[in-house]
Amino acid sequence: MQFSIRTLSPEKARTGCLVLGVLGGETMTRAAQAADKIAGGTLRRALAGGDLADKTGATLLLRAVAGLPAERVLLLRLGERGKFDVAAFREAMRGLAAALKGLGAKDATLPVTDLAVGSRGLPWAVRHAVLMLREAFYVFDQLKTLKKPAPPALASVTLAIAGAPVTLQAQASLREATATADGADLARTLGNLPPNLCTPSYLAEEAKKIAKQFKLGIEVLERKDMERLGMGALLAVTAGSRQPPKLIVLRYAGAAKSKKPLVLVGKGITFDTGGISLKPGAEMDEMKFDMSGAGSVLGTIRALAGMRAPVNVIGVVPTCENMPDGAATRPGDIVTTMSGQTVEILNTDAEGRLILCDALTYSEKFDPEAVIDIATLTGACVIALGHVASGLFANDQKLADEILAAGDDAWDRAWQMPLWEDYQEQLRSNFADMANIGGRPGGSITAACYLARFTRKLKWAHLDVAGTAWRSGRDKGSTGRPVPLLVRLALRRAARK
Ligand code: BES
Ligand code: MN
Ligand code: ZN
């Protein structure tokens, strides 16, 4: 779907579908009023007839309105003026997307000026409208042979700004939004692919493709490299798998060489059976999404490279499978990590932290400005925060605050949890420097505390996306989160300096 932004009076739009906002009752937005004037009150009469439901996101389709060059007019309920907030904006965009999907229109025009929410402004509205429409129109049907007959697809959307020039900032927002959507789509597709296809080698090949397309630096470490580096924890996780492990390093340099990079580390377990500490069968298929952190790192770098953002970002993706096998790691095994610290693996299902700890230690070599890891790390995080907020942990409050603010800006929100030393004692082991599990209480916190033992030299944050990276049930599928948060964070950091 192509997006463009231009100065255009809605009543003059030659378009398959002109979208006009209606606030409460019969109160029309500016664009709707302007169109109604040319149309001799047709819109007002339709509203007076009570045909547009009084629910945000409701739509009413009018065809061939006399006086207007648009083939169709779609009235869209935004809700009371005073109550038009982010939630209402999103509700309205969902309604709009659903209506557009059912139409034959190949292009649509959306007067975006009327969609600005409170203090968030036009660039915000542009970003969010584009991201939400792209998300709504995302399909993953490449593995279905019995496809539903596709309706004529909406190929282009014009964001119309009436009576004012398109600012450079608005143009930049559009470029940012489409690149972010491309990145989120990539993350989604990698997540949705089945674990027999999306293997560690597949992820490495995908990273190479991105590197080639955007001229990025790429390096893929193999098992022998991991052995040479002493990555005993990562090697312990992959021990039961027939798939070779990979450690992908993808570099995007959009800023001066002197600028220290932001390093993003993504958990890339392409399937998590639990290993010898085998998971129960119900919903185990969803453990194909256990590489979502990795997907979000590749997606974020693709987005930043696609928009030529002035940032230096390095993606570090440790990826392997967690399988039971005669050669698999046993509960009770003790391994030496790349940091030199030893770990007693009491539960082989707590594997994410094992691959991450070695990847975090490896990240030190890039002398990063900050390191953020993204991981579907704990079921406990889903219990704590549900499917709304990602769990945030950090050893630096300024970094945490920046991540929270970026999450709010992108509406891809995180919530901070404590990383207090008091929790560390739960990781005590009788036989090694630490255990890899801390018991049931505060499970996502002790997982973060484990990682904190490997990031003492770094400015570091951890995002537990176990509850936000995918949806279960009828709408099962990857969400592409937290690509919007990470992209926004990188850009906000670049603008700050
Ligand atoms: N990938 C899982 C976490 C997970 C579970 C995410 C369910 C989303 C839904 C992770 O590797 C895991 O198995 N964690 C264990 C840790 C426990 C053994 C300490 C968990 O959460 O049960
Ligand atoms: Mn696990
Ligand atoms: Zn896992």
Side-chain angles (χ1 to χ4, degrees):
M1 195 190 294
Q2 289 291 328
F3 286 85
S4 60
I5 185 161
R6 60 193 185 97
T7 300
L8 172 66
S9 301
E11 69 276 12
K12 294 196 188 121
R14 286 191 186 283
T15 174
C17 183
L18 173 62
V19 181
L20 295 171
V22 181
L23 300 157
E26 292 163 34
T27 313
M28 289 185 269
T29 53
R30 283 227 209 151
Q33 283 172 22
D36 189 47
K37 208 161 155 195
I38 304 295
T42 305
L43 308 184
R44 182 157 301 280
R45 284 191 292 280
L47 290 172
D51 292 343
L52 179 64
D54 185 23
K55 192 181 166 296
T56 301
T59 55
L60 173 63
L61 183 71
L62 305 172
R63 294 198 111 265
V65 174
L68 297 178
E71 285 170 48
R72 305 168 185 76
V73 168
L74 187 69
L75 296 178
L76 172 65
R77 179 71 78 190
L78 304 177
E80 296 294 336
R81 194 188 296 276
K83 290 193 191 130
F84 192 58
D85 56 7
V86 177
F89 175 97
R90 295 182 63 87
E91 199 63 46
M93 293 311 292
R94 272 191 288 271
L96 171 61
L100 289 174
K101 273 191 202 171
L103 292 184
K106 289 193 173 41
D107 68 298
T109 298
L110 180 63
V112 71
T113 331
D114 289 338
L115 293 174
V117 169
S119 60
R120 296 199 187 233
L122 184 70
W124 180 92
V126 169
R127 284 202 317 265
H128 283 256
V130 170
L131 273 171
M132 286 202 70
L133 289 175
R134 282 281 305 266
E135 177 173 10
F137 279 83
Y138 171 87
V139 278
F140 181 82
D141 62 1
Q142 59 196 79
L143 299 172
K144 289 189 187 243
T145 63
L146 304 170
K147 290 185 192 163
K148 286 188 216 138
L154 184 67
S156 70
V157 175
T158 302
L159 303 176
I161 296 182
V166 176
T167 60
L168 281 176
Q169 203 190 10
Q171 289 282 11
S173 299
L174 178 59
R175 221 170 320 119
E176 174 186 338
T178 52
T180 305
D182 290 342
D185 276 6
L186 172 67
R188 250 175 239 142
T189 296
L190 292 174
N192 289 336
L193 280 166
N196 57 327
L197 300 181
C198 185
T199 58
S201 303
Y202 183 89
L203 284 179
E205 288 308 313
E206 281 296 299
K208 283 182 191 161
K209 270 196 220 157
I210 301 166
K212 196 158 178 207
Q213 187 181 349
F214 295 100
K215 300 192 172 66
L216 312 180
I218 175 110
E219 205 180 336
V220 177
L221 306 199
E222 307 289 336
R223 185 195 303 275
K224 61 179 189 317
D225 302 307
M226 299 169 193
E227 284 165 356
R228 181 172 46 79
L229 289 162
M231 296 182 162
L234 172 47
L235 288 165
V237 177
T238 192
S241 170
R242 312 271 173 106
Q243 293 290 338
K246 307 276 170 183
L247 193 136
I248 304 163
V249 180
L250 185 60
R251 297 169 180 250
Y252 167 63
K257 264 207 181 102
S258 57
K259 182 94 177 62
K260 289 185 179 186
L262 172 66
V263 173
L264 302 175
V265 179
K267 172 177 172 182
I269 295 292
T270 60
F271 197 72
D272 182 10
T273 65
I276 297 298
S277 312
L278 194 63
K279 285 182 181 296
E283 278 122 51
M284 204 206 274
D285 66 289
E286 295 189 7
M287 283 300 119
K288 73 174 183 177
F289 295 116
D290 212 18
M291 40 52 68
S292 296
S296 76
V297 170
L298 299 183
T300 298
I301 291 183
R302 186 205 168 117
L304 293 168
M307 70 182 81
R308 301 207 175 122
V311 297
N312 290 337
V313 178
I314 302 180
V316 175
V317 171
T319 173
C320 67
E321 285 182 329
N322 188 20
M323 301 291 275
D325 180 80
T329 294
R330 295 154 287 256
D333 283 2
I334 293 178
V335 298
T336 302
T337 62
M338 184 181 172
S339 74
Q341 301 176 91
T342 58
V343 178
E344 183 183 15
I345 300 175
L346 289 175
N347 189 319
T348 63
D349 198 11
E351 85 298 339
R353 60 197 82 181
L354 294 173
I355 67 169
L356 288 172
C357 71
D358 282 337
L360 287 166
T361 301
Y362 185 74
S363 299
E364 283 175 14
K365 79 175 223 171
F366 302 114
D367 188 22
E369 189 174 68
V371 177
I372 304 172
D373 76 73
I374 303 97
T376 49
L377 202 63
T378 63
C381 192
V382 190
I383 303 302
L385 297 174
H387 303 288
V388 178
S390 303
L392 169 65
F393 302 82
N395 65 8
D396 182 279
Q397 194 53 41
K398 251 189 79 196
L399 178 61
D401 289 340
E402 281 182 44
I403 293 171
L404 292 171
D408 181 81
D409 192 356
W411 213 248
D412 178 4
R413 291 166 299 172
W415 191 258
Q416 194 175 2
M417 311 255 274
L419 194 65
W420 297 330
E421 285 297 316
D422 312 51
Y423 291 98
Q424 285 287 358
E425 67 183 34
Q426 286 178 241
L427 294 172
R428 211 187 62 83
S429 160
N430 281 359
F431 308 108
D433 294 340
M434 70 194 90
N436 76 327
I437 52 169
R440 302 226 330 140
S444 57
I445 303 173
T446 52
C449 282
Y450 173 93
L451 298 177
R453 294 182 182 223
F454 298 85
T455 55
R456 303 255 188 236
K457 296 181 196 152
L458 301 167
K459 207 184 270 182
W460 159 78
H462 156 60
L463 282 166
D464 193 331
V465 294
T468 52
W470 76 88
R471 273 183 280 271
S472 307
R474 204 182 142 62
D475 292 331
K476 192 189 291 181
S478 171
T479 60
R481 288 179 70 183
V483 170
L485 179 158
L486 294 170
V487 170
R488 207 81 269 290
L489 177 77
L491 293 173
R492 287 168 65 105
R493 285 170 69 88
R496 201 189 51 192
K497 271 153 219 163

